[in-house]
Amino acid sequence: MKKFFFGREQVCQILMVLTFLSLAACSSSLYEVVDHYPEETIQYPQSQKKFIILNQKFLNDTRAATFVKLLNKRKWLLLDEALSSMDDPEEKIFVQSISLLLQKDYQEAYMKLNTLPDSDFGCQVGILKADCLYELKDHTVSYQHLYQRAMDCADDPTVKFIANTRYRFVKYAY
């Protein structure tokens, strides 16, 4: 039976790889679900966060704050349990799609969002569909056009601002 010994250099390399992997696993998502748009982000729109608004205005349910917390804390089992008691199928699909987006299952999120009109939830469905395609690196699509369409669709100035921020991101950072 052979014994393997690692030199100091190999041990350091292994520790660096393990540290990197643990940091990557703990990294925060670019997406954040909120029940109101953070005012400081409007003042400093360079933020790398991509916000999704989930509040009583878009959900007919007073449990919006609970869903925000469950989504951001990645409590998928508790989220599934809370979703099972939802009556409105469109609201359920919207929240499930956000969950899939946060889990980086962009293809499945896009397929679920495709069952809803782009204008639903203050036109955020259109924004999230564009996000999914962007994350999937679908280069056959004009992301700017999709975000512009969502911006034109939205009545809420905050949702317009979110769509505009995404538009500028893909225009200048793509």
Side-chain angles (χ1 to χ4, degrees), residues 60-103:
N60 295 330
D61 194 67
T62 57
R63 296 176 293 178
T66 303
F67 284 116
V68 167
K69 187 185 332 180
L70 292 174
L71 286 163
N72 286 327
K73 293 195 180 274
R74 314 300 198 255
K75 302 285 185 181
W76 308 130
L77 294 176
L78 292 173
L79 179 68
D80 288 342
E81 189 176 300
L83 284 170
S84 68
S85 65
M86 285 183 86
D87 294 330
D88 188 320
E90 287 83 21
E91 290 176 354
K92 192 173 190 173
I93 290 170
F94 185 62
V95 174
Q96 287 171 331
S97 300
I98 295 169
S99 169
L100 291 165
L101 182 74
L102 293 174
Q103 294 176 62

Side-chain angles (χ1 to χ4, degrees), residues 27-40:
S27 67
S28 63
S29 173
L30 281 177
Y31 292 93
E32 185 174 338
V33 183
V34 294
D35 56 6
H36 69 283
Y37 198 76
E39 191 64 37
E40 65 274 5

Side-chain angles (χ1 to χ4, degrees), residues 142-155:
S142 169
Y143 309 117
Q144 292 171 338
H145 173 74
L146 295 176
Y147 290 125
Q148 180 66 53
R149 202 165 66 194
M151 197 173 9
D152 294 342
C153 163
D155 292 328

Side-chain angles (χ1 to χ4, degrees), residues 1-11 14:
M1 180 173 185
K2 279 188 167 180
K3 291 186 180 182
F4 292 97
F5 293 100
F6 295 106
R8 176 178 235 142
E9 189 175 309
Q10 287 90 4
V11 170
I14 291 169

Side-chain angles (χ1 to χ4, degrees), residues 127-146:
I127 295 171
L128 295 179
K129 282 174 156 180
D131 287 348
C132 289
L133 292 172
Y134 179 80
E135 298 292 351
L136 288 167
K137 308 289 186 239
D138 185 341
H139 299 295
T140 64
V141 177
S142 169
Y143 309 117
Q144 292 171 338
H145 173 74
L146 295 176

